[in-house]
Amino acid sequence: MSGTSASTELYSILEESARLLDVACSPDKVWPILNTYGETFAHDSTVVAFRVATGVRHVGELDCRFTTYPKKQDPYALALSNGLVAGTDHPVGALLSEMQARLPIDSHAIDIGVVGGFKKIYAFFTPDDLQQLSKFVELPSMPRSLADNGEFFTRHGLDDKVGVIGIDYQNRTVNVYFNDVPAECLESNAIASMLHELGFAEPSEQMLKLGQEAFGLYVTLSWDSSKIERICFAVTTTDLEALPVQIEPEIDKFVSGVPYGGADRKFVYGVALAPEGEYYKLESHYKWAAGTMDFI
């Protein structure tokens, strides 16, 4: 399949999936992105996933995430040259190039919204080459909040577990994803203690149950605060009914109709805590390849 026909197929699927949420897919926002990264969608190893989330700030949107090809291509340079994102003097605009120059990035991914357009770029490291937190602290454009919370990450055994960095160009935040998380971090009392230490509200029983099944966690940082703004625990599964929690009604409706490719379905279900409260996310994989790293 050519890049053009694969992009056309993906746009059609995005429209169909958005209708499940009563969301109108914006061609003016989506097509320039699909055209920019069109070669990606025809490649066998490309991962494509759709994400929906509960909570007020996520209403009226459907996100699509996909890995880019070629793997070493600079997705931010492409986004700039094609007008998907505006140039900026803010550190958010320099962070990816600093990581590319200093760190062994294996591949990249893009996050778009069918309403909001271009949102994020992810930098992936291989599962057998998780990175030291100290390498990111040294980057001039990394938010200082990463260093400010260094002792917290070290104490919980996360300082050498960085698997993915996500850069949010719309909200000017950074997500730091930790994989191979120590088992003791995912015990219910440990999760509750971590959240209390970070100043979040008491977690629900559902959040604690899901957290105990998590394969990893991530935090959201910004340049405007020294605090960790959000924390999320994520579980991967091929059967949502096997999870030890009740799936949110909005997400269950989406799952019942969202298209998927191949013989098997795969989901990543996450629970996050932020100042505005607890909310849930579902990443439904339309296309995925064995051995690729999960992200949400």
Side-chain angles (χ1 to χ4, degrees):
M1 183 183 294
S2 69
T4 300
S5 57
S7 296
T8 300
E9 177 185 313
L10 179 57
Y11 184 81
S12 176
I13 293 166
L14 279 170
E15 276 193 318
E16 179 183 348
S17 301
R19 280 195 291 269
L20 296 172
L21 302 169
D22 296 321
V23 173
C25 190
S26 172
D28 292 343
K29 292 290 184 69
V30 176
W31 263 118
I33 301 170
L34 300 187
N35 288 334
T36 297
Y37 302 100
E39 183 182 355
T40 284
F41 307 115
H43 199 268
D44 290 341
S45 65
T46 297
V47 175
V48 179
F50 306 130
R51 193 204 73 174
V52 63
T54 63
V56 174
R57 68 190 296 266
H58 303 286
V59 171
E61 182 65 290
L62 169 67
D63 289 334
C64 175
R65 298 176 173 190
F66 55 87
T67 53
T68 60
Y69 182 84
K71 293 173 71 173
K72 295 299 184 181
Q73 185 181 64
D74 186 336
Y76 185 62
L78 271 178
L80 282 172
S81 63
N82 286 275
L84 305 181
V85 62
T88 178
D89 292 330
H90 189 278
V92 72
L95 184 55
L96 183 62
S97 63
E98 291 176 2
M99 289 196 293
Q100 290 168 335
R102 304 187 188 194
L103 293 157
I105 295 174
D106 176 67
S107 58
H108 300 89
I110 304 296
D111 191 346
I112 72 173
V114 299
V115 175
F118 187 91
K119 294 184 176 182
K120 299 180 184 179
I121 292 176
Y122 300 88
F124 287 82
F125 306 95
T126 59
D128 61 353
D129 191 24
L130 299 180
Q131 297 295 300
Q132 296 276 348
L133 205 67
S134 58
K135 295 181 180 179
F136 300 94
V137 169
E138 294 169 357
L139 299 174
S141 296
M142 181 63 68
R144 291 304 306 165
S145 48
L146 183 63
D148 292 342
N149 290 282
E151 191 273 335
F152 171 84
F153 297 124
T154 299
R155 181 156 36 84
H156 291 286
L158 302 172
D159 54 314
D160 60 350
K161 306 295 185 184
V162 179
V164 186
I165 296 289
I167 305 171
D168 187 327
Y169 294 94
Q170 287 193 358
N171 295 309
R172 293 185 171 178
T173 57
V174 172
N175 292 340
V176 182
Y177 295 74
F178 300 96
N179 287 71
D180 196 20
V181 174
E184 54 268 27
C185 278
L186 301 177
E187 296 174 359
S188 60
N189 60 338
I191 293 173
S193 177
M194 290 170 68
L195 296 176
H196 177 75
E197 182 180 352
L198 295 175
F200 290 116
E202 290 294 319
S204 68
E205 284 300 316
Q206 177 154 308
M207 180 176 193
L208 293 176
K209 286 180 180 178
L210 197 68
Q212 291 176 74
E213 303 289 331
F215 68 83
L217 64 90
Y218 79 81
V219 298
T220 302
L221 308 168
S222 80
W223 284 268
D224 301 324
S225 171
S226 62
K227 295 183 178 180
I228 292 174
E229 297 193 348
R230 284 182 291 278
I231 186 168
C232 179
F233 299 85
V235 177
T236 185
T237 183
T238 56
D239 179 11
L240 288 175
E241 293 185 1
L243 295 178
V245 296
Q246 182 176 353
I247 303 302
E248 299 296 300
E250 308 98 305
I251 291 178
D252 191 47
K253 175 186 174 183
F254 177 73
V255 168
S256 66
V258 65
Y260 64 96
D264 299 318
R265 303 200 71 171
K266 185 178 183 183
F267 305 100
V268 179
Y269 193 61
V271 55
L273 201 58
E276 64 268 24
E278 197 170 291
Y279 63 97
Y280 293 82
K281 308 178 182 186
L282 176 83
E283 185 172 276
S284 176
H285 287 236
Y286 174 71
K287 180 182 178 184
W288 65 285
T292 56
M293 189 175 288
D294 294 306
F295 64 102
I296 184 166

